Amino acid sequence: MGMEREIKLALPASQVKAATQWFVARAGGDGQAVKLANIYFDTPELALASSKSALRLRHTPDGWLQTFKTVGEAQNGLHSRHEWEMPVAGEQLEIDALLRECDEPDAAQALRDASPGLIALFRTDFTRTLWNVELDGAVIEAAIDQGDVLADVNGDTRRSPISEIELELKSGDEAALNALAAELGKQIAGLAPDNVSKAQRGYRLRAG
């Protein structure tokens, strides 16, 4: 099990270029852009959402990944949550493999109970531009995400734009994560802490 710690910041569309330029200067090079297509699963009764967890299948340039997360805690844009992630053979969940790795009993039971009724609920499609930033001995993965949340409801496609920065602590002290966010906030106007995950946005979009 991993504990994911990241700061999420809502990024005004008008500031995407400025934020990109800032990261290029801060990290010393152009970021790596990758296209990510994500499918989120739950039961029609939203059993996983009720248990405060989320299940995702992601297509990356290197193949497919499945991820199971707890909602965890979010305060002032800082998200802390349990996460289990692993590669899968193709566009299909491998629930048994997740259950073997999931060492939170309540989360594992919720996934086990939901698994027979899982359906694809909504998608997030976006381009992620990545940099690795070092600060005070810590390594932070910085990302600018640009794209959409999409939900098909009764034959209609609902859409909500994604424009955000994610700063994920890969190693080192959490204080460095907060310091980088503060440094960024001084340079890019209009950034705002965002306590709502992409999964939560998808559920809200589907609910209308």
Side-chain angles (χ1 to χ4, degrees):
M1 175 190 68
M3 177 65 78
E4 182 184 47
R5 289 183 173 85
E6 69 177 18
I7 290 178
K8 186 186 295 287
L9 302 166
L11 175 63
S14 61
Q15 293 291 75
V16 172
K17 182 177 180 180
T20 300
Q21 291 173 338
W22 189 85
F23 280 122
V24 167
R26 184 66 175 75
D30 293 337
Q32 176 190 7
V34 294
K35 291 186 178 297
L36 300 175
N38 310 273
I39 308 166
Y40 286 81
F41 294 84
D42 205 335
T43 68
E45 300 78 23
L46 308 184
L48 291 180
S50 297
S51 71
K52 300 187 183 303
S53 56
L55 179 62
R56 180 186 73 206
L57 192 61
R58 166 173 286 177
H59 187 242
T60 78
D62 297 322
W64 290 89
L65 295 172
Q66 63 179 3
T67 307
F68 184 48
K69 297 185 181 188
T70 61
V71 171
E73 299 178 351
Q75 186 174 8
N76 296 323
L78 176 62
H79 296 246
S80 300
R81 54 204 171 202
H82 298 299
E83 177 185 75
W84 301 268
E85 185 170 80
M86 65 190 66
V88 291
E91 191 178 350
Q92 187 171 347
L93 293 165
E94 297 177 11
I95 299 298
D96 288 345
L98 277 173
L99 289 172
R100 285 193 294 269
E101 294 295 323
C102 183
D103 52 0
E104 285 289 314
D106 290 345
Q109 190 59 51
L111 179 58
R112 188 176 293 110
D113 292 344
S115 60
L118 291 172
I119 61 172
L121 274 191
F122 55 87
R123 311 187 311 277
T124 62
D125 295 337
F126 56 92
T127 297
R128 168 166 288 175
T129 307
L130 292 163
W131 294 266
N132 282 323
V133 178
E134 297 183 5
L135 179 63
D136 297 333
V139 177
I140 297 165
E141 183 182 81
I144 295 178
D145 291 346
Q146 294 284 292
D148 294 284
V149 184
L150 304 118
D152 295 323
V153 181
N154 298 324
D156 294 327
T157 299
R158 298 175 181 173
R159 183 184 301 264
S160 177
I162 294 169
S163 184
E164 61 190 31
I165 291 173
E166 289 188 358
L167 305 174
E168 182 176 353
L169 185 66
K170 291 300 185 180
S171 65
D173 195 283
E174 191 174 296
L177 193 64
N178 294 307
L180 182 62
E183 184 181 335
L184 182 60
K186 292 176 182 177
Q187 301 298 322
I188 308 299
L191 289 180
D194 191 350
N195 291 333
V196 181
S197 69
K198 293 182 180 71
Q200 290 169 316
R201 290 184 61 191
Y203 280 107
R204 293 179 182 183
L205 184 65
R206 185 177 172 84

